[in-house]
Amino acid sequence: MEKNLNLYIETFGCQMNFSDSEIVGSLMADNNYFTIQDISLADVIFINTCSIRDRAEQRVRKRLKEFRSLKKKNPDLIVGVIGCMAERLKDKLFEEEPIIDLIAGPDAYRDLPSLLNKVKIGQKAANILLSAEETYADINPVRLDSNGVSAFISIMRGCQNYCSYCVVPFTRGKERSRDPESIIKEAHNLISMGYKEVTLLGQNVNSYSWNQGKEEINFASLLKMLAEVDPALRLRFATSNPKDLSDELLHTIANHENICNSIHLPVQSGSDKILKLMNRKYTRSWYIDRIKAIREIIPGCAISTDLITGFCSETEEDHMETLSLMEWVGYDFAFMFKYSERPNTTAAEKYNDDVPDSIKGKRLKEIIDLQQKLSLKSNMKDIGEKFEVLTESISKRSDEQLSGRNSQNKVVVFPKENYKTGDYVDVVITDCTTATLIGKPI
Ligand code: SAH
Ligand code: SF4
Ligand code: F3S
């Protein structure tokens, strides 16, 4: 029998990357490499990388420098770069970062064991082929870094929306949906392991589509099938693209108690001019109409977003439109970024990255400040309300407190009493901060 080897996987980037690391962990376990938590014991390190903004790549490069001392201690240590940065930079990475032995793009993970065999006989090894079909549907992911309560299921891969700023279509290839039967099987597996919540992942889950004979299974029907697997299994999903958010989906959410009332709907900008340049394929008024539909069909639904400041040619007026849209929606939560030009994207090729960094920073601060106010306002409204909270962990601040989330995806902290991780607890909210609701069990 072959010797077991220690694999350490470090993950950067989005939830999809975290989910991919679990697929990699599973593929590698089938080949006698077992994931460990202590990097100093590693025979192989995989760093699963992100290219979304320049800063994401810089963080990976910094980490690679830190691995040098580990390689000095153990010259047999193998360092592999996998994921989006591997796909974007390809063989160039070998020249730029000599510590790297192996490169594998997001669709090449089945090839990792044979790539490692090449490295073991002294070669550098790379596979960056993208696939139109690969969904890793048959792989049952290992659960890394898990609280045993909530898990990710990847339901599709790739993206071909080509938003003009975005590198993802280049690093992840064509959009493809995963066989629904394999998704349901994975949900059953998680339930049997005691999991209580699943987040369905894709870059644009609303365009999920699978042809079963003559019948098309779309995202709403997939969600309905999953909701009916077990009423005690909570469902979440990310990310929705506003252009594809259907009323059918909203009704499906409203009709199922266990589909969470929380929608992440990245708007990016409140200005029609900027949305057009971004190739987002919706307008401000379309977006407003979708928010109205959410409010009408799912009362009490939380809405969160992603925003980019300082995109090419963004003026102060465009920025004001973003601020006014934020106010109008009253987002519960937002991820906010400064525009970072990515090589080969339409924006890099055709438009000027002409907003000075200082202005990007100033506008970013303004949207962050506004969002802080909106988040606090949203949380204050919840004081006195009752929520069902799924307990995820002991609170970071105190052993006597538990931390979980309500359907709206807000973090709720409450006294432990006799409750434990994985329990559903009815909690009344008594206080809050901008980031957390504080309550007590009822
Ligand atoms: N598929 C999702 C987004 C995935 S990337 C969607 O379409 O909504 C996550 C977020 O990163 C994006 O929503 C966007 O706000 C941000 N982002 C993507 N490319 C960026 C860039 N070049 N500069 C700054 N932020 C970027
Ligand atoms: Fe990027 Fe747009 Fe695809 Fe989202 S939808 S991953 S922002 S190209
Ligand atoms: Fe980053 Fe790739 Fe995700 S670029 S955001 S890890 S799809």
Side-chain angles (χ1 to χ4, degrees):
M1 227 190 85
E2 263 186 73
K3 183 173 159 276
N4 287 346
L5 291 166
N6 290 337
L7 167 67
Y8 182 87
I9 310 179
E10 189 161 314
T11 310
F12 290 81
C14 62
Q15 294 171 331
M16 303 232 40
N17 246 21
F18 282 81
S19 166
D20 279 5
S21 289
E22 301 187 326
I23 290 167
V24 169
S26 169
L27 284 163
M28 297 302 294
D30 294 343
N31 288 273
N32 289 4
Y33 292 84
F34 291 92
T35 45
I36 51 155
Q37 308 296 323
D38 180 354
I39 194 169
S40 67
L41 302 175
D43 300 300
V44 176
I45 299 176
F46 285 156
I47 178 161
N48 194 358
T49 58
C50 176
S51 287
I52 200 81
R53 286 167 288 275
D54 183 55
R55 193 182 285 184
E57 293 198 353
Q58 294 313 325
R59 281 175 60 209
V60 169
R61 289 185 190 270
K62 182 161 169 267
R63 202 60 188 124
L64 285 168
K65 289 204 175 65
E66 288 163 10
F67 292 165
R68 284 185 197 159
S69 63
L70 294 169
K71 200 146 179 166
K72 248 188 217 139
K73 268 188 229 144
N74 172 14
D76 293 332
L77 175 70
I78 296 174
V79 176
V81 172
I82 65 174
C84 290
M85 216 173 142
E87 192 63 49
R88 190 179 88 73
L89 291 161
K90 309 186 169 43
D91 287 7
K92 245 200 299 187
L93 265 178
F94 284 137
E95 291 156 37
E96 292 172 2
E97 308 282 348
I99 190 176
I100 300 171
D101 302 299
L102 175 155
I103 292 173
D107 289 340
Y109 296 151
R110 289 181 201 269
D111 199 26
L112 282 169
S114 69
L115 293 172
L116 280 169
N117 287 339
K118 278 192 198 150
V119 174
K120 283 183 193 157
I121 58 167
Q123 299 172 5
K124 299 231 171 198
N127 184 344
I128 40 117
L129 286 176
L130 286 173
S131 154
E133 287 95 30
E134 180 64 273
T135 58
Y136 301 106
D138 56 315
I139 308 295
N140 188 27
V142 297
R143 302 294 160 181
L144 299 171
D145 209 14
S146 165
N147 57 12
V149 178
S150 47
F152 296 131
I153 299 184
S154 168
I155 63 162
M156 53 202 297
R157 299 182 71 81
C159 181
Q160 55 208 48
N161 286 317
Y162 290 96
C163 300
S164 64
Y165 52 82
C166 184
V167 78
V168 172
F170 304 93
T171 64
R172 295 247 161 195
K174 281 206 178 108
E175 181 182 288
R176 68 217 93 129
S177 296
R178 176 179 169 188
D179 181 346
E181 234 172 79
S182 73
I183 298 172
I184 290 172
K185 192 169 153 215
E186 194 174 330
H188 277 290
N189 271 336
L190 287 165
I191 294 165
S192 68
M193 289 158 72
Y195 282 85
K196 299 283 171 61
E197 183 180 82
V198 154
T199 304
L200 307 174
L201 295 180
Q203 291 298 354
N204 179 10
V205 289
N206 304 118
S207 62
Y208 177 89
S209 172
W210 183 265
N211 287 318
Q212 198 117 297
K214 277 192 199 136
E215 192 198 355
E216 194 224 13
I217 297 179
N218 64 12
F219 184 56
S221 35
L222 175 74
L223 203 53
K224 184 167 180 289
M225 283 156 71
L226 281 160
E228 284 161 8
V229 165
D230 178 355
L233 183 73
R234 266 191 181 180
L235 294 167
R236 300 187 184 279
F237 55 88
T239 297
S240 295
N241 191 309
K243 77 179 169 65
D244 298 316
L245 185 77
S246 69
D247 286 359
E248 185 197 3
L249 175 68
L250 300 179
H251 286 294
T252 306
I253 300 172
N255 292 339
H256 293 85
E257 209 34 50
N258 57 335
I259 305 178
C260 287
N261 289 354
S262 149
I263 297 182
H264 187 62
L265 201 62
V267 69
Q268 315 299 358
S269 168
S271 149
D272 277 336
K273 179 194 96 188
I274 296 295
L275 287 172
K276 192 156 195 328
L277 286 175
M278 285 178 163
N279 194 30
R280 286 293 283 181
K281 303 190 184 90
Y282 54 83
T283 57
R284 180 184 172 101
S285 76
W286 167 271
Y287 189 88
I288 287 178
D289 171 77
R290 293 294 75 207
I291 299 292
K292 284 182 179 158
I294 296 173
R295 299 261 185 254
E296 195 182 303
I297 300 169
I298 322 169
C301 186
I303 302 175
S304 55
T305 201
D306 294 349
L307 293 156
I308 298 176
T309 63
F311 186 65
C312 311
S313 83
E314 186 189 71
T315 61
E316 208 52 33
E317 287 72 45
D318 296 319
H319 170 59
M320 291 299 172
E321 297 218 54
T322 298
L323 290 168
S324 71
L325 185 66
M326 288 173 75
E327 292 253 27
W328 184 85
V329 179
Y331 289 111
D332 298 280
F333 181 81
F335 293 108
M336 294 158 280
F337 312 101
K338 268 199 247 179
Y339 171 56
S340 165
E341 186 178 81
R342 310 311 292 133
N344 297 324
T345 56
T346 307
E349 308 259 291
K350 286 203 184 153
Y351 312 140
N352 275 334
D353 182 11
D354 54 2
V355 178
D357 192 60
S358 59
I359 303 280
K360 286 181 185 171
K362 177 184 136 309
R363 291 180 187 163
L364 179 64
K365 185 173 178 310
E366 285 172 17
I367 64 169
I368 291 174
D369 288 347
L370 174 57
Q371 187 51 48
Q372 295 268 46
K373 279 191 218 148
L374 296 175
S375 296
L376 184 62
K377 197 166 148 195
S378 151
N379 284 353
M380 301 271 283
K381 262 205 331 238
D382 290 339
I383 294 180
E385 299 286 329
K386 289 174 205 143
F387 294 107
E388 185 182 56
V389 177
L390 174 59
T391 314
E392 288 172 6
S393 59
I394 306 276
S395 155
K396 275 179 232 140
R397 296 247 176 92
S398 153
D399 288 354
E400 292 306 305
Q401 304 273 321
L402 291 173
S403 172
R405 275 165 210 273
N406 65 5
S407 174
Q408 287 73 10
N409 209 22
K410 290 185 180 177
V411 175
V412 182
V413 173
F414 57 93
K416 192 160 130 205
E417 298 182 2
N418 291 320
Y419 299 106
K420 56 183 190 315
T421 305
D423 285 349
Y424 283 105
V425 184
D426 286 325
V427 174
V428 61
I429 305 306
T430 52
D431 199 0
C432 72
T433 67
T434 43
T436 314
L437 298 177
I438 299 155
K440 55 174 195 268
I442 41 174

